[in-house]
Amino acid sequence: MSHTDRDVDHTLAYPEPPASPLWHRHGAAKARPLTDAQRKRNREVLDIAQRKPRSRAA
């Protein structure tokens, strides 16, 4: 199968559009830092998830 310029998907040549303004926080609304208990729980859950075999989606 030969490749020609018509085979190229030109949508891939353009940059991604800018992120939605809704994704950005404005003003003093900062994310709250995690507590030590939350960090520990996140580490435990992540460790379990990394050890468990992946299930296939139906």
Side-chain angles (χ1 to χ4, degrees):
M1 184 170 155
S2 67
H3 174 77
T4 64
D5 287 335
R6 289 181 302 222
D7 295 333
V8 176
D9 185 359
H10 290 285
T11 58
L12 300 176
Y14 295 95
E16 281 189 32
S20 166
L22 300 175
W23 294 352
H24 301 287
R25 296 179 186 268
H26 295 286
K30 301 261 182 183
R32 284 178 282 137
L34 295 175
T35 65
D36 289 338
Q38 289 172 317
R39 276 193 227 120
K40 182 175 185 246
R41 173 73 178 139
N42 285 349
R43 281 194 301 268
E44 290 168 354
V45 172
L46 179 62
D47 186 48
I48 292 167
Q50 288 177 333
R51 293 172 191 273
K52 197 165 95 174
R54 292 181 69 174
S55 58
R56 293 191 342 172

Coordinates of all heavy atoms in Angstrom, one line a residue:
M1 N 0.8 -1.2 0.0 CA 0.0 0.0 0.0 C 0.9 1.2 0.0 O 1.8 1.4 0.8 CB -0.9 0.0 1.3 CG -1.9 1.1 1.3 SD -3.0 0.7 2.7 CE -3.5 2.3 3.1
S2 N 0.6 2.1 -0.9 CA 1.5 3.3 -1.0 C 0.9 4.5 -0.2 O -0.3 4.5 0.0 CB 1.6 3.7 -2.5 OG 0.4 4.2 -3.0
H3 N 1.8 5.3 0.2 CA 1.4 6.5 1.0 C 1.4 7.7 0.1 O 2.4 8.0 -0.6 CB 2.4 6.6 2.1 CG 2.2 7.9 2.9 ND1 1.1 8.0 3.8 CD2 2.8 9.1 3.0 CE1 1.2 9.2 4.4 NE2 2.1 9.9 3.9
T4 N 0.3 8.5 0.2 CA 0.3 9.8 -0.5 C -0.1 10.9 0.4 O -0.5 10.6 1.6 CB -0.8 9.8 -1.7 OG1 -2.0 9.6 -1.1 CG2 -0.5 8.6 -2.7
D5 N 0.0 12.1 0.0 CA -0.3 13.3 0.9 C -1.8 13.2 1.2 O -2.2 13.7 2.3 CB 0.0 14.6 0.2 CG 1.5 14.8 0.1 OD1 2.2 14.3 1.0 OD2 2.0 15.6 -0.7
R6 N -2.6 12.6 0.4 CA -4.1 12.6 0.7 C -4.3 11.6 1.9 O -5.4 11.7 2.5 CB -4.8 12.1 -0.5 CG -4.9 13.2 -1.6 CD -5.7 12.7 -2.8 NE -5.1 11.5 -3.3 CZ -4.9 11.2 -4.5 NH1 -5.3 12.0 -5.5 NH2 -4.3 10.1 -4.9
D7 N -3.4 10.7 2.2 CA -3.7 9.7 3.2 C -3.4 10.3 4.6 O -3.7 9.8 5.6 CB -2.7 8.5 3.1 CG -3.1 7.7 1.8 OD1 -4.2 7.8 1.4 OD2 -2.2 7.1 1.3
V8 N -2.8 11.5 4.7 CA -2.4 12.1 5.9 C -3.6 12.7 6.6 O -4.4 13.4 6.0 CB -1.3 13.2 5.7 CG1 -0.9 13.9 7.0 CG2 -0.1 12.5 5.1
D9 N -3.7 12.5 7.9 CA -4.8 13.1 8.7 C -4.3 14.5 9.1 O -3.5 14.6 10.1 CB -5.2 12.2 9.9 CG -6.3 12.8 10.7 OD1 -6.9 13.9 10.3 OD2 -6.7 12.1 11.6
H10 N -4.8 15.5 8.5 CA -4.2 16.9 8.8 C -4.7 17.4 10.1 O -4.2 18.4 10.6 CB -4.6 17.8 7.6 CG -3.8 17.5 6.4 ND1 -2.5 17.9 6.2 CD2 -4.2 16.9 5.2 CE1 -2.1 17.5 5.1 NE2 -3.1 16.9 4.4
T11 N -5.8 16.9 10.7 CA -6.2 17.4 12.0 C -5.1 17.2 13.0 O -5.1 17.9 14.0 CB -7.5 16.7 12.5 OG1 -7.3 15.3 12.5 CG2 -8.6 17.0 11.5
L12 N -4.2 16.2 12.8 CA -3.2 15.9 13.8 C -2.1 17.0 13.7 O -1.2 17.1 14.6 CB -2.6 14.5 13.6 CG -3.6 13.4 13.8 CD1 -2.9 12.1 13.4 CD2 -4.1 13.4 15.2
A13 N -2.0 17.8 12.6 CA -1.0 18.7 12.4 C -1.2 20.0 13.2 O -0.3 20.8 13.3 CB -0.8 19.1 11.0
Y14 N -2.4 20.2 13.7 CA -2.7 21.4 14.4 C -2.6 21.3 15.9 O -2.8 20.2 16.5 CB -4.2 21.9 14.1 CG -4.3 22.2 12.7 CD1 -4.8 21.3 11.7 CD2 -4.0 23.5 12.2 CE1 -4.9 21.6 10.4 CE2 -4.1 23.8 10.9 CZ -4.6 22.9 10.0 OH -4.7 23.2 8.6
P15 N -2.2 22.3 16.6 CA -2.1 22.2 18.1 C -3.4 22.1 18.8 O -4.5 22.4 18.2 CB -1.4 23.6 18.5 CG -1.8 24.5 17.4 CD -1.9 23.7 16.1
E16 N -3.4 21.6 20.0 CA -4.6 21.4 20.8 C -5.2 22.8 21.1 O -4.5 23.8 21.2 CB -4.3 20.8 22.1 CG -4.1 19.3 22.0 CD -4.0 18.7 23.4 OE1 -4.7 19.2 24.3 OE2 -3.3 17.7 23.6
P17 N -6.5 22.9 21.2 CA -7.1 24.2 21.5 C -6.8 24.5 23.0 O -6.4 23.6 23.7 CB -8.6 23.9 21.4 CG -8.8 22.5 21.4 CD -7.5 21.8 20.9
P18 N -6.8 25.7 23.4 CA -6.5 26.1 24.7 C -7.5 25.4 25.7 O -8.6 25.1 25.3 CB -6.7 27.6 24.8 CG -7.4 28.0 23.6 CD -7.2 26.9 22.6
A19 N -7.1 25.2 26.9 CA -7.9 24.6 27.9 C -9.1 25.5 28.2 O -9.0 26.7 28.1 CB -7.1 24.4 29.2
S20 N -10.2 24.9 28.6 CA -11.4 25.6 29.0 C -11.1 26.5 30.2 O -10.4 26.1 31.1 CB -12.5 24.7 29.3 OG -13.6 25.3 30.0
P21 N -11.6 27.7 30.2 CA -11.4 28.6 31.4 C -12.1 28.0 32.6 O -11.7 28.4 33.7 CB -12.1 29.9 31.0 CG -12.7 29.7 29.7 CD -12.3 28.4 29.1
L22 N -13.0 27.1 32.4 CA -13.7 26.5 33.6 C -12.8 25.6 34.3 O -13.0 25.2 35.5 CB -14.9 25.7 33.1 CG -16.0 26.6 32.4 CD1 -17.1 25.6 31.9 CD2 -16.6 27.6 33.3
W23 N -11.7 25.2 33.7 CA -10.7 24.3 34.4 C -9.8 25.0 35.3 O -9.0 24.4 36.0 CB -9.9 23.5 33.3 CG -10.7 22.6 32.5 CD1 -12.0 22.2 32.6 CD2 -10.2 21.9 31.3 NE1 -12.4 21.4 31.7 CE2 -11.3 21.2 30.8 CE3 -9.0 21.9 30.7 CZ2 -11.2 20.4 29.7 CZ3 -8.9 21.1 29.5 CH2 -10.0 20.3 29.1
H24 N -9.8 26.3 35.3 CA -8.8 27.1 36.1 C -9.5 27.6 37.3 O -10.7 28.0 37.3 CB -8.2 28.2 35.3 CG -7.5 27.8 34.0 ND1 -6.3 27.1 34.1 CD2 -7.9 27.8 32.7 CE1 -5.9 26.8 32.9 NE2 -6.9 27.2 32.0
R25 N -8.8 27.7 38.4 CA -9.3 28.3 39.6 C -9.0 29.8 39.6 O -7.9 30.2 39.2 CB -8.6 27.7 40.9 CG -8.9 26.2 41.0 CD -8.1 25.8 42.3 NE -8.3 24.3 42.4 CZ -9.2 23.8 43.2 NH1 -10.1 24.5 43.8 NH2 -9.3 22.4 43.2
H26 N -9.9 30.6 40.0 CA -9.8 32.0 40.0 C -9.8 32.5 41.4 O -10.5 32.1 42.3 CB -10.9 32.7 39.2 CG -10.8 32.4 37.7 ND1 -9.9 32.9 36.9 CD2 -11.6 31.5 37.0 CE1 -10.1 32.4 35.7 NE2 -11.1 31.6 35.7
G27 N -9.0 33.5 41.7 CA -9.0 34.2 43.0 C -8.3 33.3 44.0 O -7.3 32.6 43.8
A28 N -8.8 33.4 45.3 CA -8.1 32.8 46.4 C -8.6 31.4 46.7 O -8.3 30.8 47.7 CB -8.4 33.6 47.7
A29 N -9.4 30.8 45.7 CA -9.9 29.4 45.9 C -8.7 28.4 45.7 O -8.5 28.0 44.5 CB -11.1 29.1 45.0
K30 N -8.0 28.1 46.7 CA -6.9 27.2 46.5 C -7.3 25.8 47.0 O -8.1 25.7 47.9 CB -5.7 27.7 47.4 CG -5.2 29.0 47.0 CD -4.0 29.0 46.2 CE -3.5 30.4 45.9 NZ -2.5 30.5 45.0
A31 N -6.6 24.8 46.5 CA -6.9 23.4 46.9 C -6.4 23.3 48.3 O -5.3 23.8 48.6 CB -6.2 22.5 46.0
R32 N -7.1 22.6 49.2 CA -6.7 22.4 50.5 C -5.6 21.3 50.5 O -5.7 20.3 49.8 CB -7.8 21.9 51.4 CG -8.7 23.1 51.8 CD -9.9 22.6 52.6 NE -10.9 22.0 51.7 CZ -11.5 20.8 51.9 NH1 -11.3 20.2 53.0 NH2 -12.3 20.3 51.0
P33 N -4.5 21.4 51.3 CA -3.5 20.4 51.4 C -4.1 19.1 52.1 O -5.0 19.2 52.9 CB -2.4 21.0 52.2 CG -3.0 22.1 52.9 CD -4.2 22.6 52.1
L34 N -3.6 18.0 51.7 CA -4.1 16.7 52.2 C -3.6 16.5 53.7 O -2.5 17.0 54.0 CB -3.6 15.5 51.4 CG -4.2 15.4 50.0 CD1 -3.5 14.3 49.3 CD2 -5.7 15.2 50.0
T35 N -4.4 15.9 54.5 CA -3.9 15.6 55.8 C -3.0 14.4 55.8 O -3.0 13.7 54.8 CB -5.1 15.3 56.8 OG1 -5.7 14.1 56.3 CG2 -6.1 16.5 56.8
D36 N -2.3 14.1 56.8 CA -1.4 13.0 56.9 C -2.2 11.7 56.7 O -1.8 10.8 56.0 CB -0.6 12.9 58.2 CG 0.5 14.0 58.2 OD1 0.9 14.5 57.1 OD2 0.9 14.4 59.3
A37 N -3.4 11.6 57.3 CA -4.2 10.4 57.2 C -4.7 10.2 55.8 O -4.7 9.1 55.3 CB -5.4 10.6 58.1
Q38 N -5.0 11.3 55.1 CA -5.4 11.2 53.7 C -4.3 10.7 52.8 O -4.5 9.9 51.9 CB -6.0 12.5 53.2 CG -7.3 12.9 53.8 CD -7.7 14.3 53.4 OE1 -6.9 15.3 53.4 NE2 -9.0 14.5 53.1
R39 N -3.1 11.3 53.0 CA -1.9 10.8 52.3 C -1.6 9.4 52.5 O -1.3 8.6 51.5 CB -0.7 11.7 52.7 CG -0.6 13.0 51.9 CD 0.7 13.6 52.1 NE 0.5 15.0 52.5 CZ 0.8 15.6 53.6 NH1 1.5 15.0 54.5 NH2 0.5 16.8 53.8
K40 N -1.7 8.9 53.7 CA -1.5 7.5 54.0 C -2.5 6.6 53.3 O -2.1 5.6 52.7 CB -1.5 7.3 55.5 CG -1.2 5.9 56.0 CD -1.2 5.8 57.5 CE -0.7 4.4 57.9 NZ -1.7 3.6 58.5
R41 N -3.8 7.0 53.4 CA -4.8 6.2 52.7 C -4.6 6.2 51.2 O -4.7 5.1 50.6 CB -6.2 6.9 53.0 CG -7.3 6.3 52.3 CD -7.7 4.9 52.8 NE -8.8 4.4 52.1 CZ -9.0 3.2 51.7 NH1 -8.1 2.3 52.0 NH2 -10.0 2.8 51.0
N42 N -4.2 7.3 50.6 CA -3.9 7.3 49.2 C -2.8 6.4 48.8 O -2.8 5.7 47.8 CB -3.6 8.8 48.7 CG -4.8 9.6 48.7 OD1 -6.0 9.2 48.8 ND2 -4.6 10.9 48.5
R43 N -1.7 6.4 49.6 CA -0.6 5.5 49.4 C -1.0 4.0 49.4 O -0.6 3.2 48.6 CB 0.5 5.8 50.3 CG 1.4 7.0 50.0 CD 2.7 7.0 50.8 NE 2.4 7.0 52.2 CZ 2.3 8.1 53.0 NH1 2.5 9.3 52.4 NH2 2.1 8.1 54.3
E44 N -1.9 3.7 50.4 CA -2.3 2.3 50.6 C -3.2 1.9 49.4 O -3.0 0.8 48.9 CB -3.1 2.2 51.9 CG -2.2 2.3 53.1 CD -3.0 2.4 54.4 OE1 -4.3 2.6 54.4 OE2 -2.4 2.4 55.5
V45 N -4.1 2.7 49.0 CA -5.0 2.4 47.9 C -4.2 2.3 46.6 O -4.4 1.4 45.8 CB -6.1 3.5 47.8 CG1 -6.9 3.3 46.5 CG2 -7.0 3.4 49.0
L46 N -3.3 3.2 46.4 CA -2.4 3.1 45.2 C -1.6 1.8 45.2 O -1.5 1.1 44.2 CB -1.5 4.3 45.1 CG -0.5 4.4 44.0 CD1 -1.3 4.4 42.7 CD2 0.4 5.6 44.1
D47 N -1.0 1.4 46.3 CA -0.3 0.2 46.4 C -1.1 -1.0 46.1 O -0.7 -1.9 45.3 CB 0.3 0.1 47.8 CG 1.3 -1.1 48.0 OD1 2.2 -1.2 47.1 OD2 1.1 -1.9 48.9
I48 N -2.3 -1.0 46.6 CA -3.3 -2.2 46.4 C -3.6 -2.2 44.9 O -3.6 -3.2 44.2 CB -4.5 -2.0 47.2 CG1 -4.2 -2.3 48.7 CG2 -5.6 -3.0 46.7 CD1 -5.3 -1.8 49.6
A49 N -3.9 -1.0 44.3 CA -4.2 -1.0 42.9 C -3.1 -1.4 42.0 O -3.3 -2.0 40.9 CB -4.7 0.5 42.5
Q50 N -1.9 -1.1 42.4 CA -0.7 -1.5 41.5 C -0.4 -3.0 41.6 O 0.1 -3.5 40.7 CB 0.5 -0.7 41.9 CG 0.4 0.8 41.5 CD 1.6 1.6 41.9 OE1 2.2 1.3 42.9 NE2 1.8 2.7 41.2
R51 N -0.8 -3.6 42.7 CA -0.5 -5.0 42.9 C -1.6 -5.9 42.3 O -1.3 -7.0 41.9 CB -0.3 -5.4 44.4 CG 0.9 -4.8 45.0 CD 0.9 -5.0 46.5 NE 1.9 -4.2 47.2 CZ 3.1 -4.6 47.3 NH1 3.5 -5.8 46.9 NH2 4.0 -3.8 47.9
K52 N -2.8 -5.4 42.2 CA -3.9 -6.2 41.8 C -3.9 -6.3 40.3 O -3.6 -5.3 39.6 CB -5.2 -5.4 42.2 CG -6.5 -6.2 42.2 CD -7.6 -5.5 43.0 CE -8.4 -4.7 42.0 NZ -9.6 -4.1 42.6
P53 N -4.2 -7.5 39.7 CA -4.2 -7.6 38.3 C -5.4 -6.8 37.7 O -6.4 -6.6 38.3 CB -4.5 -9.1 38.0 CG -4.9 -9.6 39.3 CD -4.5 -8.7 40.4
R54 N -5.2 -6.2 36.5 CA -6.2 -5.4 35.9 C -7.3 -6.2 35.4 O -7.2 -7.3 34.8 CB -5.6 -4.6 34.7 CG -4.6 -3.6 35.1 CD -4.0 -2.9 34.0 NE -5.1 -2.0 33.4 CZ -4.9 -1.2 32.4 NH1 -3.7 -1.0 31.9 NH2 -5.9 -0.4 32.0
S55 N -8.6 -5.7 35.7 CA -9.7 -6.4 35.2 C -10.1 -5.9 33.8 O -9.9 -4.7 33.5 CB -10.9 -6.3 36.1 OG -11.2 -4.9 36.3
R56 N -10.6 -6.7 33.0 CA -10.9 -6.3 31.6 C -12.3 -5.6 31.6 O -13.2 -6.2 32.3 CB -10.9 -7.4 30.6 CG -9.5 -8.0 30.4 CD -9.4 -8.9 29.3 NE -10.6 -9.5 28.9 CZ -10.7 -10.3 27.8 NH1 -9.6 -10.5 27.1 NH2 -11.8 -10.8 27.4
A57 N -12.5 -4.5 31.0 CA -13.8 -3.9 30.9 C -14.7 -4.6 30.0 O -14.3 -5.2 29.0 CB -13.6 -2.4 30.3
A58 N -16.0 -4.7 30.4 CA -16.9 -5.5 29.6 C -17.3 -4.7 28.3 O -17.3 -3.5 28.2 CB -18.1 -5.8 30.4

